Amino acid sequence: MNDNQDKLAQAERLIQLRRDKGLTAEQLAQAMTKAGAKVSRGAISNWERGTNGIVSSKLPILARILGCSEGYLLRGDIKNGGKDETMTADDTIAILQNTDATNRLSLSIQEKTMSSVKETSTPVPSTASIHTTTTGSNAMTSLKKSTKLQNVCYDIRGPLLKTAIKMEAEGQRILKLNIGNPAPFGLSAPHEILRDVAMNLPEAIGYSDSQGIFSARKAVLQYYQSKGLLSAVDVRDVYLGNGVSELIVMTMQALMNDGDEVLIPMPDYPLWTAAANLAGGTAVHYRCNEEDNWHPDIEDIKSKITDKTKGIVVINPNNPTGALYSDDVLKQIIEVAIEHDLVVMADEIYDRVLYDDMVHTPMSTLSDDVLILSYNGLSKSHRIAGFRAGWMMVSGKKQHASDFIEGLDMLASMRLCSNVPGQYAIQTAMGGYQSMKELTSEKGRLYKQREMAVSRLNAIKGICCTMPQGAFYCFPKMDPAVYPIEDDMQFMMELLLEEKVLMVQGTGFNWNAPDHFRVVFLPNLNDLEEAMDRLDRFFAKKRQQFGTA
C-alpha cells in the first residue's frame, strides 16, 4: 500500500479500537496525556481521518491503552501482542481519574523500552515515522512534517474546505457558511480607508519600527483611552501584527514552556488551541454554558487551574457562539486571574460588531491588578481582512513581566515588522465614521441576516440555536436523540457533497461532543435563504435515515 492507504487503514483500526474501549477522542487524548504521551484531541482526530500517520513516539502508550500491539495499529499485524502489551479497562478508567495507574503505565513503558534496547544492537526505525519509496535504483525517504504539528488542528481550512475547492474546480456552486471573511460577500471596506492607504503607499515601501508606525499605535492607545483606560499612554505597550493571528502565535511562543498550560474556552477559535500546542504547551478547555447564553463557567475555570497554568484566554464577543459577556462575568474571571497570578488574554476582535444596542467592555478597563493582553484589529469591523491590520496592547500589572515583554520585543523584531501599508489604515479607521453600526442596526444587512438564520435554524426539528449578540456566527445544537451522530466532520462532509453547503463541525472548535456546528451568516439574504432551504432538506433526509422523523 502507498502512504495514504497506510494512514487510512491505520485510521480505521484506531477508530474501531477506541470505540471498542468505549472512549471518545477527547477521553483517549486525556488518557494518553496523563500516561505521559502528550497528545491533543485534534491530533487524535487527524489520525482517525488519515490526515496524519500515528506518531511513533506515542505508539507504545496508545497501543497499551487500546489493548493491542503496536504492529496491529501500524500494519494490521496480530491484534494482541501479549499480556504485557495490553491494558485493562480498569487501568484506562484509572488513568482518566488521575490514579496511580498513570505511574504504573509510564514505568511499564520505560521498562519495555529499556528491555528492547538491551536485546538489539541496531535500532529499527518505526514505520510510522519513516517511509521509503523506490525510484529506479534509488531509495528515497519521504520528507515528513515536524512532529510539533501533530497536536495542531485547524479545521476551518481543513478537509471540508479542500473538498469544496475541488468541487468548485469541477464547476459546482458551493454556498459557503464556513469562514468570517466579509469581502467575498459584498461587504466592502470604507472608501476613506482605501484612499488613505493608497496615499501613504510611498511612505510604506520600507520596513517600519518592529512594533509598528507611531501614528497607528497612538490611535490604538487613544481608542482604549476613550473606553476609560486612562493609563494607556505609552506606545511601547502596543504591538501591530499581521492580523491578530500572528500576535496570538507570538504570545504563545513568548509565554509557554514545554508542559505549561493555558485555559481556553470551549468552544474556541481553534487558532488559540493550535498556537498553545505549537508552542509546546497544553490547551486546557474550560466550558461555556449554552444554557446561560454561552457565558463562561467560572467554577469550571477554577477547577482546571494547576501549578502549570500560565494564563486564561477570553474571546468576547465570542467566536463561534456570538456571545457577549456581561461585566460581572468578566470581573469574576479577572478575580480568578488575580488570585492565581494568571495572564489574561482578551481576544476582542468583534467588539464593534454588536446587535440590539449592546455595549462591549474591554477587559483592560476593569482592572490594573493583573497583566492583560488585549487583541483587536480591522479585519472584521472595517472589512479589510486582507490588509492584516491587527494589534495587541499590554496593560495592567506589568512590573513583574519585564522578561516576558522582552520576549515579545524579540519576536516582534525577528519578523521585522507587520505589513506596513495595512498599518496606515489604523489611524483613519479608529478615528473615522464607524460604518459597522449601520450594518448591525435593525435596518442593517447583518441584523436581518442574523434574524433570518437563527429563526430558520430553530424551525428545523431537533435544532436549537441561541441568539448571538455579537460577531457574525451562531453555534446551533443538534439534539442527539434526533441526530445520533458519532462523527460530526463526516456529517458536514455529507452536507457538502449532497447539498453543496459548506460549514464547519463543532468539534473543529474544540467542542467536546459531535452535536454542534457553526453557521456564518455573512451571505446576502437570498443566498442565506437558499442555504437554509438546503439545510432543511438535508436534516429532513437524515431524520428519515435515523428513524426520528
Side-chain angles (χ1 to χ4, degrees):
M1 291 192 293
N2 61 34
D3 191 27
N4 286 336
Q5 290 174 322
D6 286 342
K7 290 177 183 176
L8 291 173
Q10 288 175 14
E12 292 178 1
R13 291 191 291 272
L14 176 57
I15 292 171
Q16 189 59 52
L17 287 166
R18 175 177 61 75
R19 289 176 178 171
D20 289 347
K21 279 283 184 179
L23 297 173
T24 65
E26 179 76 18
Q27 289 172 328
L28 178 57
Q30 290 173 358
M32 290 184 65
T33 297
K34 290 175 181 177
K38 176 187 166 187
V39 70
S40 68
R41 182 211 59 79
I44 300 291
S45 296
N46 284 338
W47 296 348
E48 292 191 349
R49 295 172 192 161
T51 306
N52 297 327
I54 300 170
V55 181
S56 58
S57 62
K58 316 290 184 185
L59 264 173
I61 289 178
L62 177 61
R64 298 256 309 165
I65 289 174
L66 295 177
C68 68
S69 68
E70 296 172 34
Y72 178 75
L73 271 174
L74 289 177
R75 300 175 298 274
D77 297 346
I78 298 174
K79 184 173 182 179
N80 294 317
K83 184 177 179 181
D84 62 320
E85 292 188 1
T86 61
M87 180 184 296
T88 67
D90 288 341
D91 281 338
T92 303
I93 294 171
I95 284 177
L96 289 171
Q97 294 176 341
N98 264 324
T99 69
D100 62 353
T102 298
N103 295 330
R104 294 202 307 272
L105 176 62
S106 297
L107 181 61
S108 173
I109 295 294
Q110 292 170 7
E111 291 173 347
K112 182 182 173 186
T113 302
M114 291 301 296
S115 175
S116 298
V117 169
K118 292 177 182 178
E119 290 175 6
T120 177
S121 59
T122 305
V124 180
S126 168
T127 56
S129 58
I130 302 295
H131 294 270
T132 60
T133 56
T134 302
T135 305
S137 59
N138 297 323
M140 292 171 49
T141 300
S142 297
L143 184 63
K144 312 296 288 185
K145 63 176 169 288
S146 166
T147 55
K148 290 183 293 185
L149 293 172
Q150 294 290 348
N151 282 337
V152 175
C153 185
Y154 191 76
D155 280 348
I156 294 176
R157 293 179 180 265
L160 288 164
L161 179 60
K162 291 178 181 177
T163 302
I165 291 172
K166 182 180 177 182
M167 292 170 68
E168 284 184 320
E170 296 169 350
Q172 302 183 58
R173 178 173 178 262
I174 308 298
L175 292 176
K176 296 179 179 177
L177 312 182
N178 67 309
I179 196 165
N181 183 14
F185 301 103
L187 291 159
S188 57
H191 179 72
E192 184 183 11
I193 292 178
L194 303 181
R195 183 192 64 199
D196 283 10
V197 169
M199 288 179 62
N200 282 289
L201 282 178
E203 306 300 322
I205 295 171
Y207 297 128
S208 73
D209 181 284
S210 61
Q211 287 184 230
I213 61 176
F214 178 85
S215 62
R217 287 190 284 160
K218 188 67 174 179
V220 170
L221 288 178
Q222 291 171 340
Y223 177 70
Y224 288 100
Q225 288 174 359
S226 73
K227 297 287 186 178
L229 186 67
L230 300 183
S231 61
V233 295
D234 193 341
V235 294
R236 290 176 297 180
D237 291 334
V238 177
Y239 297 78
L240 304 187
N242 291 302
V244 169
S245 301
E246 179 186 50
L247 296 165
I248 290 172
V249 174
M250 280 175 52
T251 301
M252 291 301 176
Q253 294 291 338
L255 181 67
M256 307 289 282
N257 291 316
D258 288 353
D260 284 346
E261 297 175 353
V262 62
L263 296 170
I264 296 175
M266 178 180 72
D268 72 340
Y269 176 57
L271 178 64
W272 280 105
T273 294
N277 290 333
L278 189 60
T282 299
V284 177
H285 294 101
Y286 65 85
R287 192 171 188 87
C288 295
N289 290 325
E290 189 169 13
E291 298 77 13
D292 186 26
N293 290 320
W294 290 109
H295 275 59
D297 185 328
I298 304 299
E299 293 306 314
D300 193 50
I301 290 173
K302 293 177 181 178
S303 72
K304 290 177 176 173
I305 295 174
T306 71
D307 58 359
K308 296 180 181 179
T309 308
K310 298 293 286 291
I312 179 168
V313 174
V314 180
I315 305 175
N316 178 42
N318 186 264
N319 177 8
T321 65
L324 179 69
Y325 301 157
S326 67
D327 286 6
D328 180 60
V329 166
L330 296 177
K331 289 175 182 177
Q332 289 184 64
I333 293 173
I334 287 175
E335 288 173 5
V336 172
I338 292 172
E339 180 183 352
H340 296 278
D341 196 22
L342 304 180
V343 180
V344 174
M345 289 160 273
D347 182 345
E348 298 170 338
I349 189 71
Y350 296 99
D351 71 331
R352 284 150 291 176
V353 188
L354 302 172
Y355 308 91
D356 307 319
D357 298 319
M358 300 301 295
V359 177
H360 175 268
T361 302
M363 290 196 80
S364 60
T365 64
L366 295 176
S367 177
D368 289 325
D369 297 325
V370 63
L371 183 65
I372 298 178
L373 308 178
S374 301
Y375 303 82
N376 213 321
L378 307 180
S379 293
K380 316 297 182 178
S381 60
H382 292 77
R383 287 85 69 200
I384 52 172
F387 283 38
R388 312 310 298 131
W391 62 81
M392 173 181 67
M393 187 186 68
V394 182
S395 66
K397 186 180 174 182
K398 295 181 286 186
Q399 307 91 305
H400 71 304
S402 59
D403 197 57
F404 164 67
I405 293 171
E406 182 181 326
L408 290 175
D409 292 342
M410 183 185 303
L411 290 169
S413 297
M414 286 170 62
R415 54 90 202 246
L416 300 180
C417 65
S418 66
N419 171 41
V420 181
Q423 294 182 37
Y424 278 99
I426 294 175
Q427 184 178 28
T428 300
M430 302 304 284
Y433 172 66
Q434 302 300 306
S435 56
M436 179 54 70
K437 291 182 179 179
E438 281 186 17
L439 293 167
T440 58
S441 69
E442 285 192 24
K443 296 181 179 179
R445 173 181 161 179
L446 286 178
Y447 183 95
K448 293 176 181 177
Q449 290 164 194
R450 177 192 70 146
E451 296 293 303
M452 192 267 280
V454 173
S455 63
R456 287 291 306 270
L457 287 164
N458 281 324
I460 299 174
K461 181 181 178 181
I463 303 291
C464 63
C465 183
T466 60
M467 181 65 74
Q469 295 176 314
F472 20 73
Y473 314 107
C474 55
F475 200 58
K477 180 178 182 178
M478 299 177 285
D479 185 346
V482 181
Y483 307 101
I485 300 161
E486 292 188 2
D487 186 339
D488 57 348
M489 196 280 284
Q490 182 58 38
F491 193 72
M492 290 295 106
M493 185 68 77
E494 292 173 13
L495 170 65
L496 173 61
L497 295 173
E498 295 177 22
E499 294 292 348
K500 301 178 179 57
V501 176
L502 175 60
M503 296 190 300
V504 181
Q505 75 280 8
T507 56
F509 300 93
N510 291 296
W511 186 246
N512 65 343
D515 59 0
H516 283 76
F517 56 95
R518 188 186 73 168
V519 174
V520 178
F521 51 83
L522 282 172
N524 63 59
L525 282 171
N526 289 336
D527 286 345
L528 200 57
E529 190 84 56
E530 183 179 351
M532 291 300 145
D533 289 343
R534 296 184 188 187
L535 282 178
D536 205 352
R537 184 166 61 227
F538 177 77
F539 280 108
K541 186 192 307 179
K542 289 301 175 183
R543 292 194 299 273
Q544 291 286 344
Q545 292 178 5
F546 294 135
T548 57

